[in-house]
Structure formats: structure tokens, C-alpha cells
Amino acid sequence: MSGQEFLKALPWVALLIAAVFVPFVAGPYWLSMATTMAMFVVLATSWALFSGPTHYISLATAAFFGVGTFVTGLGFQTLPFWMLPLIAAGLGGILAALVGMVTLRLSGVYFVIFTLGLAELVRQVVTWVQNQTGQRGMYVLTSITERDIYWMLLGLAALVYLAGWLIGRSKLGFALRIIGNDETVARHVGIDTALAKVALFTIPGMAAAAVGAMLAPRYIYIEPSTAFAPLLSFQVVIMALLGGTGRLWGPLAGVIPFTLLWEFITRQAPNQTLLLLGVVFLLIVYVLPGGFVGLWARIRRRFHQGGGA
Amino acid sequence: MFILITGLLLGGTYALIALGLNLQYGVARIMNLANGELLVAGGFAAFWAYTAAQVSPVAALVLVAPIAFVLNWLIYRIMLQPLVSRAKSRGALEVDSILATFGMSFALVGIMTALFGGGYFNYAYLAQPVDIFGSSYGQNRLVAFVLAAIIGLGLWLWLSYTRAGLRLRALAVNPSSARLVGIDTRAASALAFGLGGAVTAVGGALISMFFTLDASVGILFTMKALIIVIMGGVGDIRGTIVAAMILGICETAVARLIDPGLTLAAAYVLFLGVLLFRPQGLFGKKPT
């Protein structure tokens, strides 16, 4: 790391350290809020790592997340807790690779459609298996507190940022930027486009499954319809796009305001959350293409032009 | 035999819904993910007409179709055309239209929940049994199938033998060439989008005769319609109808023989097969 890069990274490291101390100052309400935000930061940032450069909209987050919660639900009594997110990440990565191998050779529409139903598909299968074995939901009673969950998620977030930063500097990141700009060109210069996309898609898969495994103790009771709630996938997409996928910090800029807004609407008008989701989707498409990152770039450009003239 | 006939009856309505989506995606090039919500809205309209005004759902179609057409035409003109004009490539348009129609879909669910509440709704119309080959089926299913078949046939004849239909088919094959032979692609796209919406809403009204709907169930129908369109091939009417029948039979078989909770899983197995072996659609040719 050169000196200049170190200086650039410094504010982010400082932010991370500040985030570590949140549980000591925040009350239960804000701690719970911070945990939710940390969760969405991991989900949205890892989502953007794949969908940002490739422009493939993945709606599979809920499926990976659900798989993760079930890993904890099934394993927390027999295995040490620290192993569960690792196992979940492994399974999430395998699931993502399988889905990617089937759909990522084809155009983006097939991918969206397939991932759209993936959570529902896994939920139906899990429910069916449970019915066959006569099991219903599961209780996850652990000694893990909200604080522990928050710190685990924060650590995961740091890992995701690190991964994103490393990918950005690597050959894979370069290849993906070319694919995103023009897939035909990418193929002509000898990039195995399908392989690169599948490899990258495993990252959100692993991250979301690990998040699910970490958050399972928070739910206490797990059943398929809550673990695989498809709404989660859409929340992640919207937060990432609201922030913008062009930069690593983009999703973070989307998560914070949207989580607060969502919380506000849920309390004031619980029936209108879907309408809110719809309106924000439309807002992003028509008013804010590129999200806050795009807006920031436009403002800076205007400022620079104004300053130069 | 029971499975086969029930599946075919169900497939008939699916075919109509998928034809609507195929018009919107195959001709107007808009991947409309709000399609299922439109279907539910059509179902709501039929429900409302029947319970509040004692109008039979069949008669309600006469109103549902034109309203849905105008509404969709306006949606295309006002909301989607700007996206089409600003898109640099087909891929960019796809991403934009997917996000925009997702937005519309959520907004519609929100509005419908506010208007009608979150509960399930159904009504009893022609709920008497009718015997075919020794098993009994609901009359309403039969009526829905016959109507779907008539509308589907009408649509096919219109597309095949009229000048306006020819224009839409030309647009489906190649938009830029269509412009070269003097087709107003914007008007034709809007027409196709409106028409597709009308067909879908009518399908929803038909489905509501024998299916319990609620405000948030639309996405499930969107999924099924998408799977049918991809299985049948984009822009291929014959393929769409065959695919819809296959899906109808498959779902019914799985629901009857294994578990009613696995219908989407059944649809997905089909989808997976198509993606792996025939991504160009059942009757599609491999791109050269």
C-alpha cells in the first residue's frame, strides 16, 4: 500500500473504529437499528460488488440469507457458534455458483427471473422436507446478544469492503469492468466472461448466507416463511441502487437513509411500506440514475466546471 | 385423466396471461414485471363488478379490457417511452425497464392493499360441477378456458391477418428494420403494450372466477408468465400456448401427486430444463 492510498483509507478505518464503539453509547433501540444497518451494509455492498460492474440484477439475497439462518437453526446445538457462519458461507457460495452456472451464460433477463423465484423455490422445498419429517419451526436459543451480532456483522462488513477493494485492484475486477462496458469486446480480448461472473457471484452468496447465520439468534424462532421472505432481496437492491453501485461506499450511502425512512414508515403507516418501496424504485430510475454516487459525481463536475470558468 | 384435463383448463388461462406478457416483452421490448399486479387488478375488477353490481364476470370483461388497454397505453407513453429513448443499448433498456416495472409493481400492490385490504377475495360464480369423462370439474373453470381460447384465437387471427397485426410482428422481428419500411415503432410499441396489458387483465378476470386472489399474489403469476414466455420462446404464440399447457399439467400433477405446496418448484424444474437445454425456447432455432 502506497502512502497516498494509506491516507485515502484512513478516514474509512477511523469510521470503522468509531462504529465498533456504537454499542457502548447507544441504547437498545439504536443498537438494534445499528445492527439492522450493519446487516444491510454487508448485504447491499456485497450485492453491488457483483451487480455494479456486471449490471445483472440479483434477487437471490433472500435465498442465501434463509440458507444461512437454517444452518444456524440446525447446527447451533452441536457445533461451536463461530463455525456456523463459515459453513453457511460455504453453502451460500456453492448455491450461488450453481445458480450462476445455469443462468449467467445467458442474458440478464433470465438471471433476474431465476433469482426472483429462487427464495420462494428454496422455501417451498424446505417446507416440504419439514412436512415430510414432521418438523415445523425451530427455536434458536443462544447466549448471543444483540451486541455480539452487531460486532460480528461489523467484522463481516470490513471483510466485504476489503474484498471489494482487492477485487477492484485485481485482474478479475478489470475483467469485470470490461464485461460491464461491452461483453462482446470482453470475449474478444480473451476473457472467460461466464467464469468471471460466476466467480464474482459467489461473493454476495457467501456474504448473505453468513449474515443469515449470524442473525438467526436474533429471530429466536425460525420458520421457512420468515427466513426466506422475498422482500429482503428487494430492500437490498433498492438500498444499493439508491446509494449507487459505482463506488465501494455507494451502498452505505443508501443503507443509512433508507433504513431510517423504512423504520419511520413502518411505524407511521405499516401498510404503506410496499408503496414506499415502489416509489423509491421509480425515483431511482427517473430522477437518480446512478444513485447518490451518480449525483455526487454530477455535483462535483458542475463545481469543477464553475471553478475553472 | 383428471390431472390432464384440470391441467389443460388451467393452462388455457395461463396461456392468455403469458400471451399478454409476450406482447409486451416480445413486441414492445419491455420486460414488464408489474404484469402479475395487473392481473390481480383485473381480478379485483371482476370481483367488484360481481359482488357490488351483480354483473357477471364475463360481462365485466367488456369493461376490463378497454380500461386496461388505455391504462397500459398511458403507462407506456408516459413512463416507459422516456426509458426507451434514453437507453443506449438493449441491455440498458432491460435494466431500466426491470427496475421501473418493479417500482410500479410494488406501488400497485401498495395501492391495492390500501383500497381493498390485505385479505383474500373470491366469489362464487358458476360454482356447479360439470362431468367430463367421469370426473367432475367446476363450470367456472370450463367457462374461463373457453373464453381464454376464444380470445387467444382472436388475437392470433388479428396478428396473422390484419395490417396492424403484421406491423406488430415486423416490430417483434427487428425494430430498426421495421422503421425502415415505414412503421411508426413508437405507436406500434404503445399499441402492443396496451394490448398486452388488456389481455393480461382479462386473464386475471377469468382466473378470479375459480382462484382465490389477494393483493400481493401478483408476483407469483408474473413468475409463471415469465417462465412460460421463456419456455415458449419470446414472440412465439404457438410456443407460448404449448408451454402454458405443459406448465398447467405439470403443476396440477405435482399438486395432486406430491404436495400442493410445491407448484412453484415444479415450474422451476421446467424452467431449469429450458435454461439448460433449450434457452431459445421450445420451437426456437439456435442463433447462428
Side-chain angles (χ1 to χ4, degrees), chain B residues 52-66:
Chain B
Q54 278 82 45
V55 177
S56 98
V58 179
L61 295 184
V62 181
L63 261 174
V64 167

Side-chain angles (χ1 to χ4, degrees), chain A residues 109 114 117 124 128 285-286, chain B residues 31 79 86 94 259 261 265 268:
Chain A
V109 174
F114 196 85
Q124 286 196 349
W128 181 70
V285 176
Y286 293 100
Chain B
M31 174 46 88
M79 305 200 67
R86 91 174 181 202
E94 228 142 52
D259 190 314
Y268 250 72

Side-chain angles (χ1 to χ4, degrees), chain B residues 2-3 6 250-260 263:
Chain B
F2 178 80
I3 290 172
T6 314
C250 248
E251 271 192 7
T252 315
V254 168
R256 291 284 295 186
L257 302 174
I258 308 177
D259 190 314
T263 49

Side-chain angles (χ1 to χ4, degrees), chain B residues 220-238:
Chain B
L220 216 67
F221 284 102
T222 308
M223 287 280 328
K224 286 177 186 171
L226 288 170
I227 291 176
I228 292 168
V229 168
I230 288 172
M231 189 155 63
V234 176
D236 182 348
I237 291 191
R238 181 185 50 161

